[in-house]
Amino acid sequence: MPTEIVFETHSWSEDNDRGIATGWLPGRLSPRGRALAAELGQRRRDDGIAAVFTSDLRRAAETADIAFSGTPIPVLHDWRLRECNYGHRNGMPAAELHEHRNRYLDEPYPGGESWRQAVHRVGRFLDDLPLLWAHQRILVIGHVATRWTLDHRINGVRLEDLINADFAWREGWEYRIADPRDRQDGTLPAQTSAG
């Protein structure tokens, strides 16, 4: 049985309402976001989830806390699941920040990181996942960089294609990773995800 990863974005934040690219700033859920987080919990509490991994940024951690409060499902915070660090541009208007996003595929944002560096960071989380969670179904709550890493590392989607695509929200994405111990070369094998 492969390790199953369900990915959900953090719920709607006050910065989303204002059109701000929060980046590595903590952010806070809006009233709408808190309601969406509760709906996430209703969708996923009985979905066979063994553990929830969330970015440690406030908006993602708050999403997990609301969704899984009162359940026995462990919620684990991991800084590697953070959004891309926009550096000096954290907190600027999202439309302005993302207008030239492809420029920062390999070039870091001033004082921050590139999208490729962010995907590499999140990828280290994926590398560690089978150590304790192989053959289980886990939920990951994160950001654009988190989802791009899953699409890139598991489904083989090129970052050059992801950076130019619009982020279309939906109620979860599902991915499957075969156990690397089942492979002779020790690499992290991917299996096709089920949307």
Side-chain angles (χ1 to χ4, degrees):
M1 174 180 148
T3 303
E4 297 180 351
I5 300 172
V6 178
F7 171 73
E8 295 270 2
T9 61
H10 67 79
S11 288
W12 196 257
S13 71
E14 293 174 348
D15 283 348
N16 290 131
D17 281 337
R18 297 193 318 260
I20 299 296
T22 314
W24 270 31
L25 299 176
R28 186 169 64 189
L29 296 186
S30 68
R32 174 185 173 200
R34 288 190 291 279
L36 289 170
E39 289 176 19
L40 167 63
Q42 291 170 355
R43 269 197 324 273
R44 299 295 182 187
R45 285 176 183 224
D46 299 318
D47 194 23
I49 302 295
V52 175
F53 292 87
T54 181
S55 157
D56 65 343
L57 294 171
R58 180 178 178 179
R59 60 198 184 272
E62 190 178 359
T63 299
D65 290 344
I66 292 169
F68 295 96
S69 175
T71 72
I73 301 170
V75 175
L76 307 166
H77 301 85
D78 194 315
W79 77 275
R80 295 174 296 181
L81 297 173
R82 287 181 172 202
E83 180 60 287
C84 184
N85 183 0
Y86 307 134
H88 304 309
R89 297 179 181 177
N90 287 320
M92 74 181 294
E96 185 180 332
L97 178 81
H98 297 308
E99 184 177 12
H100 302 290
R101 182 170 58 195
N102 59 357
R103 178 182 301 166
Y104 299 101
L105 176 61
D106 291 301
E107 176 186 332
Y109 287 95
E113 65 186 342
S114 71
W115 283 99
R116 196 173 305 276
Q117 288 170 326
V119 166
H120 180 73
R121 168 178 38 83
V122 177
R124 291 194 311 261
F125 163 81
L126 286 179
D127 293 339
D128 289 344
L129 196 60
L131 297 175
L132 293 175
W133 303 97
H135 309 296
Q136 296 187 60
R137 183 172 173 82
I138 60 112
L139 176 70
V140 173
I141 297 174
H143 312 270
V144 173
T146 319
R147 191 186 126 213
W148 283 5
T149 302
L150 294 165
D151 285 342
H152 177 66
R153 290 277 307 271
I154 297 173
N155 291 343
V157 180
R158 294 175 344 123
L159 292 179
E160 292 81 0
D161 296 331
L162 291 167
I163 203 159
N164 291 313
D166 288 331
F167 185 90
W169 183 88
R170 67 181 198 214
E171 292 181 351
W173 291 258
E174 297 206 15
Y175 304 86
R176 289 174 181 74
I177 302 174
D179 188 336
R181 294 172 291 193
D182 296 341
R183 299 207 18 139
Q184 300 299 320
D185 62 5
T187 62
L188 182 66
Q191 293 186 352
T192 306
S193 73

